[in-house]
Amino acid sequence: MLKIAVVGASGRMGQSILRLAKSMGNVAVVGALVRPGSPAEDKEVPDWPHICYTSDRGAGLAEAEVVLDFAAASDEIGLVRHCVDYGLPLLVGTTGLEASTRQVLEQAAKKIPVLIAPNTSKGVNILLELVHRAAAALDEDYDIEILEAHHGRKNDAPSGTALRLGEEAAEARHKRLDAVSVHHRKGQTGPRRGGDIGFSVVRGGDIAGEHTVYLAGPGERLELTHRASSRDTFAHGALDAARWLAGRRAGLYEMRDVLGF
């Protein structure tokens, strides 16, 4: 029985993980952390009535064997330091991480296992591999555009998954994403610059997550798409990743490691 603590437990992903963990039988929730002042604080967790939502990091993580973090990126550094101090494996599903936070995670990975997964869906991580291969095989005559769509309450744009897809495409062509990414087009933009990777964003309704990578070349277009119909797919992936992470040696991991490719 793997004991997990969920950070950001009152959010959409946190709620999905708490609910699915109950049905799996081999995972026990021992902590459910929320931000200070959250309406959920001190209330019992549905499906886990012996657990209350708490903002007390020490109490919430005291019995955990693996920590799953889906909280706001601004809360990250203190959590990472706590996990390092207590030797807790950490899965980071938070998106919109600053470069400085990423550096803190990389340093932490020298002491504890850290898995950074902007998207825990197994299908999305297969998509990352396919995009890398396609971008490497098709030269810059094939323009790359990335379209992502999410629910209206999502805070960051483009999504962490969209950016990761862009990184895969750029790396496959031996480029840095920040040198070729285009996030804004309006007015007289002029012709498209060869090698650019464009991003478009849709926000609305309850869209769980959709990502399409277009490789548009002479006389043809390749479209690689993943659509999530339920947030449960991300929760399943996160719980599988947590089980994989338990007992690993210190290091920086990603979902590809979990999936074995």
Side-chain angles (χ1 to χ4, degrees):
M1 182 72 71
L2 177 66
K3 297 177 181 178
I4 66 168
V6 181
V7 182
S10 62
R12 291 175 174 228
M13 268 299 296
Q15 290 291 290
S16 293
I17 290 170
L18 293 172
R19 177 173 47 79
L20 284 173
K22 187 67 175 180
S23 67
M24 294 180 73
N26 57 0
V27 177
V29 175
V30 296
L33 278 84
V34 294
R35 69 181 187 279
S38 167
E41 191 169 11
D42 297 326
K43 294 180 179 177
E44 287 188 347
V45 177
D47 297 319
W48 300 93
H50 62 294
I51 300 292
C52 289
Y53 295 105
T54 181
S55 62
D56 184 332
R57 186 176 291 144
L61 303 182
E63 299 180 47
E65 295 172 320
V66 177
V67 178
L68 285 71
D69 176 28
F70 288 89
S74 59
D75 300 333
E76 198 73 37
I77 293 177
L79 174 67
V80 175
R81 289 173 178 162
H82 183 100
C83 290
V84 169
D85 289 344
Y86 290 89
L88 293 172
L90 175 63
L91 183 156
V92 179
T94 299
T95 60
L97 295 175
E98 299 287 342
S100 58
T101 304
R102 174 83 187 200
Q103 290 175 355
V104 170
L105 289 166
E106 290 172 355
Q107 288 299 312
K110 296 177 182 179
K111 298 180 179 180
I112 61 171
V114 176
L115 193 157
I116 301 177
N119 193 309
T120 52
S121 156
K122 295 177 182 179
V124 159
N125 285 279
I126 297 297
L127 176 63
L128 290 169
E129 180 69 15
L130 294 174
V131 167
H132 187 103
R133 294 188 183 190
L138 301 173
D139 61 25
E140 289 189 2
D141 285 341
Y142 287 78
D143 298 322
I144 298 176
E145 295 284 319
I146 299 172
L147 171 64
E148 60 100 338
H150 284 87
H151 56 87
R153 295 178 60 190
K154 186 168 178 60
N155 291 324
D156 57 312
S159 69
T161 300
L163 293 172
R164 190 73 191 93
L165 288 164
E167 288 171 353
E168 288 291 344
E171 289 168 8
R173 291 181 172 180
H174 309 291
K175 301 292 179 72
R176 290 190 349 265
L177 181 60
D178 59 1
V180 296
S181 59
V182 176
H183 295 279
H184 180 74
R185 293 187 178 115
K186 183 179 180 181
Q188 299 297 317
T189 61
R192 188 186 197 281
R193 189 178 63 175
D196 279 350
I197 297 176
F199 290 84
S200 300
V201 174
V202 174
R203 291 288 178 269
D206 61 354
I207 303 170
E210 298 182 4
H211 296 84
T212 296
V213 178
Y214 299 90
L215 294 100
E220 64 177 354
R221 181 174 71 248
L222 175 63
E223 299 180 13
L224 300 171
T225 297
H226 177 272
R227 294 187 179 93
S229 56
S230 167
R231 196 162 282 101
D232 285 0
T233 188
F234 310 121
H236 276 296
L239 289 166
D240 286 347
R243 287 197 297 269
W244 181 90
L245 195 61
R248 294 282 162 183
R249 67 177 63 183
L252 190 63
Y253 301 102
E254 56 184 19
M255 283 298 292
R256 279 179 171 169
D257 299 307
V258 179
L259 295 173
F261 65 86

